[in-house]
Amino acid sequence: MSLDELVGLCADWQQRLRLQDWNVEIAVKRKLDATRDDCMAYIEVMEDKKHARITFIDPVDLDPEGWPQETLERSLVHELLHLHVWPFNPKENTPRWTAMEQAVHALAGALVDMKPQNRASTGGTELGAEAHEAALVLPEDGDEGVVE
């Protein structure tokens, strides 16, 4: 998928998720140049400006065995869903944080699998990949935060 296609897909999902009021940038970075290097994608949020940047790690830097069922679209939707729950982000590595990540991940998988073209490929039954570990860095006052 090209960067232009990914940007178009983001606009489509922003509309589906009612996030059109957010300015969302899409970037693809090599692992060495990324803020996070332990995930397929992550989001940086400036909540007060309703601005976010979703960065995808360049596929050449990903271990294909590490994310067997993850797709760019599922990762995109996962990151976009974080915008809805951003005000409620719990402290990292707590039971609430784990529950939030699992909920976002499950919802992303279910939503992506509900698209007609995806239902045909999954038989309409698969809810997505196994929940993956995620990293969350809460913002300091006035700083932007990063969540995977």
Side-chain angles (χ1 to χ4, degrees):
M1 179 178 296
S2 72
L3 182 58
D4 286 341
E5 290 170 322
L6 194 54
V7 168
L9 191 60
C10 181
D12 178 54
W13 276 106
Q14 278 185 260
Q15 183 176 7
R16 288 172 185 258
L17 297 172
R18 309 298 189 256
L19 292 168
Q20 304 98 312
D21 56 331
W22 280 83
N23 178 20
V24 179
E25 295 177 30
I26 300 293
V28 177
K29 291 186 178 182
R30 295 295 308 263
K31 196 172 191 173
L32 291 173
D33 298 326
T35 304
R36 310 256 347 156
D37 65 0
D38 58 346
C39 54
M40 178 180 277
Y42 59 90
I43 190 166
E44 298 168 287
V45 176
M46 290 184 282
E47 186 177 11
D48 60 328
K49 298 181 191 289
K50 288 205 153 196
H51 181 87
R53 180 183 308 115
I54 299 173
T55 301
F56 290 87
I57 303 299
D58 192 315
V60 300
D61 292 328
L62 294 175
D63 174 12
E65 298 298 318
W67 304 95
Q69 295 182 33
E70 284 296 323
T71 65
L72 286 174
E73 186 171 23
R74 186 171 282 123
S75 293
L76 172 68
V77 174
H78 176 109
E79 301 309 331
L80 286 171
L81 285 171
H82 277 296
L83 296 176
H84 278 302
V85 299
W86 194 263
F88 313 108
N89 270 333
K91 186 176 177 186
E92 182 179 359
N93 295 323
T94 64
R96 283 183 170 211
W97 175 80
T98 300
M100 184 265 311
E101 276 297 327
Q102 289 173 341
V104 166
H105 188 79
L107 289 167
L111 288 167
V112 170
D113 289 344
M114 287 177 64
K115 283 180 61 176
Q117 60 269 41
N118 294 343
R119 293 189 78 146
S121 66
T122 65
T125 59
E126 185 178 321
L127 290 180
E130 293 295 317
H132 64 276
E133 291 295 316
L136 171 71
V137 178
L138 294 176
E140 299 288 328
D141 287 342
D143 290 344
E144 61 184 49
V146 178
V147 67
E148 178 285 320

